[in-house]
């Protein structure tokens, strides 16, 4: 699986959009981009994933660049409960693709 | 809702003890994973399994073994616990489907302290 690079930490004002970047310059054509977050003392929680099109769900939006070498997770209106470590992962989905490897993530602090 | 349940939230064991960490999932997922998490190091994959009785080493398998006798259950075994195995242990499961519905679901974690 391709590796990812994320900033170690970010701050965001409550109510503003939080934009979390991720670089994955060695991503392969069949690898998806996944985002998870981990709130203190809990297990990681799935947020969203995509292949090449932008995706949106009730939690967040995922913007993937046209060359797929980077992506941005957007939390449109950050709240204090969004304070967490956010992990960007790329992996092949489907039969034969089992390993899910996490990097160090970005620690997002939402400031009142 | 998918549930991944780890048998203990907190454990304290002595050096040299054999330790079993149990994980059960209720969504008929093919894949199951064991991670450990330490401050400043993020999540590190210990072992994973893609089917009953099948297992693959992750990034840090030394000092650990695993067992998957039934699809829903994945056990992590510390044959002889050492203090450097004090950590948060996280179990996860996922489907092997294509694209959609392949996200991983995590348990709440077991905080193991070896004294």
């Amino acid at each position: 699986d391709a590796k990812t690079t994320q900033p170690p930490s970010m701050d965001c004002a409550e109510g503003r959009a939080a934009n979390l970047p991720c670089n994955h310059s060695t991503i392969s054509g069949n690898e998806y981009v996944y985002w998870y977050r981990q709130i203190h003392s809990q297990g990681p929680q799935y947020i969203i994933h995509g292949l090449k099109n932008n995706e949106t769900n009730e939690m967040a939006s995922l913007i993937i660049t046209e060359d797929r070498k980077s992506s941005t997770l957007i939390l449109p209106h950050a709240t204090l409960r969004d304070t967490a470590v956010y992990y960007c992962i790329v992996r092949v989905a489907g039969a034969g693709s089992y390993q899910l490897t996490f990097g160090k993530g970005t620690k997002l602090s939402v400031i009142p | 809702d998918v549930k991944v349940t780890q048998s203990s939230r907190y454990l304290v064991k002595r050096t040299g003890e054999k330790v079993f960490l149990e994980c059960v999932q209720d969504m008929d997922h093919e894949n199951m994973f064991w991670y450990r998490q330490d401050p400043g190091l993020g999540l590190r994959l210990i072992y994973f399994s893609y089917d009953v009785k099948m297992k693959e080493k992750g990034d840090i398998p030394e000092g650990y073994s695993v067992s998957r006798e039934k699809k829903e259950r994945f056990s992590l075994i510390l044959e002889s616990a050492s203090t450097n195995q004090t950590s948060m242990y996280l179990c996860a499961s996922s489907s092997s489907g294509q694209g959609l519905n392949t996200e991983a679901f995590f348990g709440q974690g077991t905080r193991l302290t070896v004294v």
Side-chain angles (χ1 to χ4, degrees), chain B:
Chain B
D1 278 355
V2 172
K3 261 209 177 141
V4 179
T5 304
Q6 294 182 229
S7 54
S8 303
R9 191 83 171 94
Y10 300 95
L11 270 182
V12 180
K13 296 291 182 181
R14 295 195 181 278
T15 301
E17 275 194 78
K18 189 169 186 175
V19 181
F20 292 86
L21 302 184
E22 306 286 348
C23 176
V24 177
Q25 51 95 3
D26 65 1
M27 277 300 288
D28 201 35
H29 283 166
E30 295 82 8
N31 304 327
M32 295 189 75
F33 309 83
W34 274 107
Y35 296 84
R36 66 177 282 176
Q37 186 173 32
D38 302 287
L41 296 177
L43 278 82
R44 292 182 291 167
L45 182 65
I46 305 171
Y47 267 97
F48 67 100
S49 168
Y50 52 90
D51 203 349
V52 175
K53 296 191 185 295
M54 306 305 288
K55 61 186 179 184
E56 292 286 342
K57 292 180 180 179
D59 299 319
I60 50 162
E62 296 78 19
Y64 304 94
S65 62
V66 289
S67 172
R68 191 155 181 212
E69 296 297 317
K70 294 184 178 181
K71 192 175 186 180
E72 68 271 19
R73 186 179 296 270
F74 192 36
S75 303
L76 180 70
I77 304 155
L78 288 67
E79 293 290 341
S80 178
S82 64
T83 54
N84 63 11
Q85 292 178 310
T86 291
S87 186
M88 169 71 88
Y89 290 87
L90 288 157
C91 175
S93 71
S94 73
S95 169
S96 289
Q98 295 283 342
L100 297 178
N101 302 320
T102 57
E103 62 267 29
F105 295 86
F106 283 81
Q108 284 297 92
T110 296
R111 188 167 292 282
L112 173 68
T113 302
V114 182
V115 298

Side-chain angles (χ1 to χ4, degrees), chain A residues 4 6 22 24 31-36 46-50 62 64 71 73 87-94 97 100 102, chain B residues 95 97-104:
Chain A
T4 62
Q6 298 177 255
C22 180
H24 32 78
E31 286 182 313
Y32 287 73
V33 180
Y34 286 77
W35 283 84
Y36 290 80
Y46 165 80
I47 302 172
I48 198 167
H49 75 283
L62 173 60
I64 302 173
S71 60
L73 178 75
Y87 296 97
C88 168
I89 300 155
V90 291
R91 65 180 282 254
V92 179
S97 60
L100 189 66
F102 286 72
Chain B
S95 169
Q98 295 283 342
L100 297 178
N101 302 320
T102 57
E103 62 267 29

Side-chain angles (χ1 to χ4, degrees), chain A residues 7-70:
Chain A
S9 63
M10 290 181 64
D11 291 341
C12 177
E14 188 179 15
R16 304 296 294 269
N19 298 291
L20 292 97
C22 180
N23 286 323
H24 32 78
S25 58
T26 60
I27 192 170
S28 301
N30 59 348
E31 286 182 313
Y32 287 73
V33 180
Y34 286 77
W35 283 84
Y36 290 80
R37 74 179 183 184
Q38 187 174 23
I39 296 169
H40 183 63
S41 296
Q42 298 182 21
Q45 175 192 23
Y46 165 80
I47 302 172
I48 198 167
H49 75 283
L51 183 62
K52 53 185 177 181
N53 297 322
N54 297 338
E55 301 287 344
T56 296
N57 63 19
E58 64 279 3
M59 290 182 70
S61 295
L62 173 60
I63 309 297
I64 302 173
T65 57
E66 193 169 340
D67 63 7
R68 301 206 329 119
K69 293 185 176 182
S70 65

